[in-house]
Amino acid sequence: MIAASSFLNTQSRVFFALLAVVYFTTDAIANRLPRSGDVRDGYESTNYVTRSESLKERAGTAIDLYEAANTPQLGIPPTTHSLDNPLNRAGIELGRRLFFDRRLSINDTMSCAICHVPEMGFAHNELEISVGVEGRSARRNAPTILNVAYKNMLFHDGRETTLENQVWIPMLARNEMANPSIGYVIQKLNNLKDYDGLFEKAFNRSASMETIGMALAQYQRTLISANSRFDRWYYGGEKDLLTEQEQLGFEIFMGKGMCSTCHLVGEEYALFTDNLLHNTGFGYDIAMASEPPTYRVQLAPGTFVDVKKELIDSVSQDRGIKRNDLGRYEVTENPDDLWKYLTPTLRNIALTAPYMHNGKLASLEEVIEFYDQGGIANMRLSPLIKKLALQPDEKTALVSFLKTLTGANVVELAGDAFAAPVGDVQ
């Protein structure tokens, strides 16, 4: 895989600079993950020193994703795959190739992996909201696709129900991969020699709307990650594996913090989501807030400028659409669904900052503060959201617990991604 910023044109890099905020976790597993090109921790300081990694030196080791997807992992149930699209090695390999191929976008600059970066937990730590072709901004944060096989609703508003169908929304969206039509993508793939025979090998038929979706869905369904320290402690009986602080955090999670009300933990496994949609008030607050006339923007280490809102709007999506993200209402047009968003999984949460549907909360500490205050009051606030009155040590313990949810195989999955073929390299 190649770092996203390498492919953005001048306009995109300017916009990238306007939105980029870097987040790093101290989790031991996270520190083993390969880094995107330039590790920018401390970028806000005038003493920043680059630690760029040569793209040629960044290589990974392929793993058998078919075997990995069918190997039970502690803490999660066996995956149930579509009878119409059973996993096979040729399909997985084809989907993996497509996932990292920038030629799936209109101008050969954007791949799926540019928004779902493997070493960032298959999310994107550097952007609050996704940036597509030519720097066109989306409205929402790129969610992790780790364990996406367990989801029955996709996107923050649950507008799609299958991975096979979901893949076409970003490929056709004007502010993402910007392809003009399904036929355009199919014709483009049919003209690429390095795809000759691959669809036939995987599905006994050529590239089509159906088989392209099937291949990408198969790869994503192999990205299963559990067997975390929490799983080995809670489900595996390794009772000394969590510290006293982490165990206190789990007690808060299940009790006073009310986290498990939506982020479910069962007797045999935990997906850490109820796969439902809720109004926490966050979307309401963002939609109703007034915008400042200028924004503080970092251009280089220690160098900041105040940029007029009009300039940012000129490279952003239409302001009216951008400001009024109505959540699930945009799918159903039911007023009861205003500002409802899908409960995200908390697995691998330490890797996938920033948080919330629009990436506005930079850290787990900020997320906990938001819920501790009882969300944001509005006429459709979920009755599950209440003030918590957590003490400082309880908040710290809760963060410590959440960092135990990083899957044991995230390094291997990222390494496999680094070994994937990049379609435009001949």
Side-chain angles (χ1 to χ4, degrees):
M1 206 209 86
I2 298 179
S5 57
S6 301
F7 308 135
L8 301 178
N9 61 20
T10 301
Q11 182 187 21
S12 300
R13 287 196 296 270
V14 170
F15 192 79
F16 195 90
L18 293 177
L19 293 178
V21 180
V22 182
Y23 307 90
F24 293 97
T25 175
T26 58
D27 184 271
I29 293 180
N31 291 333
R32 291 170 50 212
L33 284 165
R35 297 290 193 183
S36 296
D38 187 5
V39 180
R40 283 172 282 182
D41 191 13
Y43 194 67
E44 71 284 353
S45 170
T46 55
N47 297 323
Y48 171 79
V49 178
T50 184
R51 297 184 297 283
S52 293
E53 299 177 9
S54 170
L55 294 179
K56 293 182 179 179
E57 295 174 359
R58 293 164 70 225
T61 301
I63 63 175
D64 186 339
L65 291 171
Y66 178 85
E67 181 180 353
N70 286 285
T71 300
Q73 294 190 46
L74 196 62
I76 53 176
T79 55
T80 301
H81 301 304
S82 168
L83 296 177
D84 296 326
N85 187 23
L87 294 183
N88 67 82
R89 286 185 171 85
I92 294 168
E93 180 60 29
L94 175 57
R96 178 171 171 261
R97 177 185 289 268
L98 290 168
F99 190 86
F100 294 96
D101 197 333
R102 295 182 294 130
R103 295 173 297 178
L104 261 64
S105 63
I106 191 170
N107 62 358
D108 301 341
T109 61
M110 296 291 298
S111 71
C112 305
I114 284 179
C115 286
H116 300 283
V117 186
E119 65 271 31
M120 298 181 184
F122 285 87
H124 202 314
N125 303 157
E126 297 177 329
L127 294 176
E128 291 181 356
I129 57 176
S130 296
V131 174
V133 163
E134 295 182 341
R136 300 168 193 163
S137 60
R139 292 183 299 162
R140 295 173 181 169
N141 177 257
T144 180
I145 57 172
L146 290 172
N147 297 320
V148 72
Y150 296 101
K151 299 184 75 66
N152 54 26
M153 287 192 287
L154 302 162
F155 297 104
H156 289 290
D157 56 19
R159 67 177 55 226
E160 193 51 82
T161 58
T162 71
L163 286 168
E164 285 81 0
N165 293 338
Q166 175 274 330
V167 300
W168 286 103
I169 294 181
M171 279 200 280
L172 299 178
R174 180 67 179 163
N175 60 354
E176 294 188 57
M177 300 172 86
N179 290 293
S181 68
I182 294 167
Y184 177 89
V185 177
I186 296 170
Q187 184 178 48
K188 195 172 190 180
L189 284 173
N190 283 334
N191 290 332
L192 296 174
K193 295 298 182 184
D194 47 324
Y195 282 93
D196 284 353
L198 296 185
F199 283 91
E200 290 77 6
K201 181 180 179 181
F203 304 114
N204 295 315
R205 47 201 159 121
S206 61
S208 66
M209 180 182 182
E210 184 179 25
T211 56
I212 293 168
M214 289 169 67
L216 281 163
Q218 285 206 26
Y219 172 63
Q220 292 180 79
R221 289 194 179 111
T222 69
L223 301 177
I224 306 299
S225 181
N227 196 30
S228 65
R229 283 202 298 123
F230 164 77
D231 296 314
R232 300 197 301 276
W233 172 74
Y234 191 70
Y235 296 111
E238 299 182 47
K239 295 305 180 184
D240 295 328
L241 202 55
L242 263 57
T243 66
E244 290 185 6
Q245 184 182 63
E246 291 164 345
Q247 293 182 45
L248 173 61
F250 180 60
E251 182 180 332
I252 300 298
F253 184 92
M254 298 295 289
K256 184 178 179 180
M258 299 179 62
C259 311
S260 62
T261 304
C262 297
H263 300 282
L264 306 183
V265 177
E267 293 182 2
E268 298 181 358
Y269 59 83
L271 294 179
F272 287 97
T273 176
D274 57 5
N275 280 318
L276 298 175
L277 301 108
H278 303 281
N279 177 342
T280 67
F282 197 80
Y284 166 85
D285 187 57
I286 294 295
M288 297 303 179
S290 59
E291 289 189 278
T294 62
Y295 289 87
R296 191 74 166 164
V297 174
Q298 182 176 6
L299 299 180
T303 302
F304 297 83
V305 295
D306 292 322
V307 180
K308 291 183 178 180
K309 182 182 69 64
E310 290 79 5
L311 177 58
I312 294 177
D313 285 346
S314 71
V315 292
S316 301
Q317 191 177 29
D318 177 78
R319 179 182 180 275
I321 299 175
K322 178 183 176 185
R323 288 287 300 153
N324 296 298
D325 185 335
L326 302 179
R328 181 68 172 175
Y329 174 85
E330 297 181 9
V331 180
T332 66
E333 297 192 6
N334 181 344
D336 290 337
D337 288 334
L338 279 166
W339 302 298
K340 284 185 178 180
Y341 299 94
L342 194 61
T343 304
T345 178
L346 298 183
R347 287 193 172 276
N348 302 295
I349 194 71
L351 304 180
T352 59
Y355 305 108
M356 311 305 276
H357 70 277
N358 54 9
K360 287 296 183 182
L361 299 184
S363 66
L364 291 172
E365 287 81 2
E366 290 183 30
V367 174
I368 290 170
E369 286 294 336
F370 172 78
Y371 286 108
D372 185 52
Q373 295 168 13
I376 303 294
N378 67 91
M379 66 184 70
R380 292 180 174 83
L381 180 69
S382 168
L384 300 176
I385 306 299
K386 303 179 185 299
K387 290 187 177 182
L388 304 175
L390 297 177
Q391 299 302 308
D393 62 325
E394 293 174 325
K395 296 175 184 178
T396 300
L398 189 51
V399 171
S400 295
F401 162 68
L402 292 172
K403 290 182 178 180
T404 71
L405 302 181
T406 303
N409 66 339
V410 291
V411 175
E412 287 71 24
L413 290 175
D416 176 81
F418 272 75
V422 179
D424 61 329
V425 176
Q426 303 297 324

